[in-house]
Amino acid sequence: MTESIAIGGERRISLDDLTRVARDGCAVQLDRSGYAQMLLSHAFFAGQMQRRIPIYGLNTQFGDQVVLLDEHLHDYESERYETSLQNRQSSLVRSHNCGLGETAAPELVRGAMLLRAQCLARGYSGVRPKVVESYLEFLNRGIVPLCYRYGSIGASGDLVPLATIAAAVVGEDVDVRFQGQLVAAPRLLAELGLHPLRLQGREGLALINGTSFMSSVAGLALADLTRLFATLLDVIAMALESLYVIEAGYFPIVHALKGHHGELHVASSIQKFWTGSQLIRKLEKARSEATTEIGVQDYYSL
């Protein structure tokens, strides 16, 4: 396995990091600074929770039911209050675990797990380090929850697939991929001696309310595009060369006027590919040799 990457704190995830974890099985660890920042964030959040301050999704219901406070918010007995909070988070994950359609590729699921862990590991969500460590345990052991392609709620992000991932980590009865087989998550956790994550505070909401799944899809697609883009430009340059284009249309000044850096990069790459070409026409020569068959300008569609 390739060298591990660290997440959390001020660290950022690159496209290379994403592909190494999602596709190559690279190990992931929580950075010490990220761990410390998570502890501080969680301590502050826990203090607010114990002070019985109304906080969305913690001791209130969700969406337009935010006006409904937890029935035990002002109970003297703290055990009933804490049990109610835990049940709310577990119910949230359970209720949104309802994906449909074809199963998502394992690399997309692994990418989403990495990005969700990284988001929480920055230490601003008030969740315990244990939450992130549970996701990293799945990643490092090669446990991939079986997610589905359809069913997300765009207004709040990828609630449905992220809920399926969370459901596996907390030991709900969902399937996971492990060593080429489909296994029920509770059974696999027991066989591996892993304890299901027990949600606290607002951790269920933190795990499912985000765009980590669509970011995984976009990130891996962008990584592929980045890898293929240079070859794509070469193919375009060869196609233009075969049509005897006039090179003046690709001079830097033509594209600098537009002010788009990407456009300049494309034009420059195509010009470099044409170095030494005997097929590309010079504008001056095209003018001197202009006939009714060969014009002094290429077709607009080029």
Side-chain angles (χ1 to χ4, degrees):
M1 183 178 291
T2 55
E3 182 181 355
S4 66
I5 68 167
I7 64 171
E10 299 304 314
R11 291 179 177 270
R12 300 177 67 87
I13 295 292
S14 66
L15 287 181
D16 182 60
D17 293 333
L18 177 63
T19 56
R20 285 170 59 202
V21 173
R23 292 173 171 166
D24 302 332
C26 177
V28 191
Q29 59 182 341
L30 178 58
D31 178 73
R32 287 185 178 180
S33 64
Y35 188 96
Q37 180 64 28
M38 291 188 74
L39 288 178
L40 289 174
S41 174
H42 173 65
F44 173 80
F45 190 82
Q48 301 296 94
M49 179 179 69
Q50 292 304 323
R51 290 172 60 193
R52 309 300 177 95
I53 295 175
I55 298 174
Y56 176 76
L58 171 71
N59 42 32
T60 75
Q61 294 300 339
F62 307 97
D64 59 4
Q65 293 185 323
V66 65
V67 294
L68 301 178
L69 300 179
D70 191 289
E71 61 178 336
H72 300 291
L73 180 61
H74 300 298
D75 281 1
Y76 177 78
E77 176 54 63
S78 62
E79 185 175 347
R80 283 199 298 264
Y81 176 57
E82 292 174 1
T83 299
S84 180
L85 299 186
Q86 291 171 355
N87 289 341
R88 178 172 293 105
Q89 300 304 305
S90 298
S91 297
L92 178 68
V93 170
R94 192 176 298 120
S95 65
H96 284 77
N97 174 29
C98 56
L100 297 171
E102 301 172 9
T103 55
E107 64 179 32
L108 298 180
V109 180
R110 287 181 56 83
M113 294 178 72
L114 170 67
L115 296 176
R116 196 78 222 126
Q118 161 67 2
C119 179
L120 301 180
R122 297 185 66 192
Y124 294 95
S125 300
V127 305
R128 296 165 296 151
K130 177 64 177 176
V131 175
V132 169
E133 291 171 341
S134 295
Y135 271 49
L136 301 190
E137 188 80 49
F138 266 51
L139 284 172
N140 294 338
R141 287 180 178 261
I143 305 171
V144 184
L146 194 68
C147 293
Y148 298 89
R149 295 182 60 187
Y150 306 116
S152 201
I153 303 174
S156 296
D158 307 318
L159 299 183
V160 171
L162 292 181
T164 300
I165 294 172
V169 177
V170 302
E172 287 288 324
D173 191 17
V174 297
D175 288 333
V176 296
R177 292 184 175 96
F178 182 67
Q179 296 183 349
Q181 295 183 331
L182 285 181
V183 188
R187 173 187 157 195
L188 181 63
L189 292 177
E191 290 178 352
L192 297 178
L194 300 176
H195 296 290
L197 175 67
R198 187 176 182 183
L199 299 175
Q200 298 181 9
R202 200 169 59 168
E203 292 171 347
L205 186 62
L207 286 173
I208 76 170
N209 199 1
T211 58
S212 302
F213 207 90
M214 66 177 79
S215 296
S216 176
V217 174
L220 291 173
L222 183 58
D224 288 339
L225 176 61
T226 301
R227 180 170 55 85
L228 295 172
F229 193 60
T231 301
L232 173 65
L233 292 182
D234 289 348
V235 171
I236 291 173
M238 282 192 289
L240 294 172
E241 189 177 15
S242 71
L243 296 171
Y244 305 105
V245 299
I246 299 172
E247 67 172 351
Y250 302 86
F251 285 166
I253 188 173
V254 177
H255 303 280
L257 293 173
K258 290 290 187 68
H260 298 307
H261 296 295
E263 180 179 345
L264 284 166
H265 171 73
V266 169
S268 175
S269 297
I270 290 175
Q271 274 205 306
K272 288 179 182 178
F273 185 89
W274 286 341
T275 301
S277 173
Q278 301 300 307
L279 301 178
I280 300 301
R281 293 188 294 157
K282 303 286 186 181
L283 180 58
E284 294 77 7
K285 188 174 182 181
R287 285 171 172 165
S288 66
E289 297 177 351
T291 67
T292 56
E293 297 180 357
I294 304 177
V296 294
Q297 180 164 309
D298 299 320
Y299 290 108
Y300 291 161
S301 59
L302 298 180

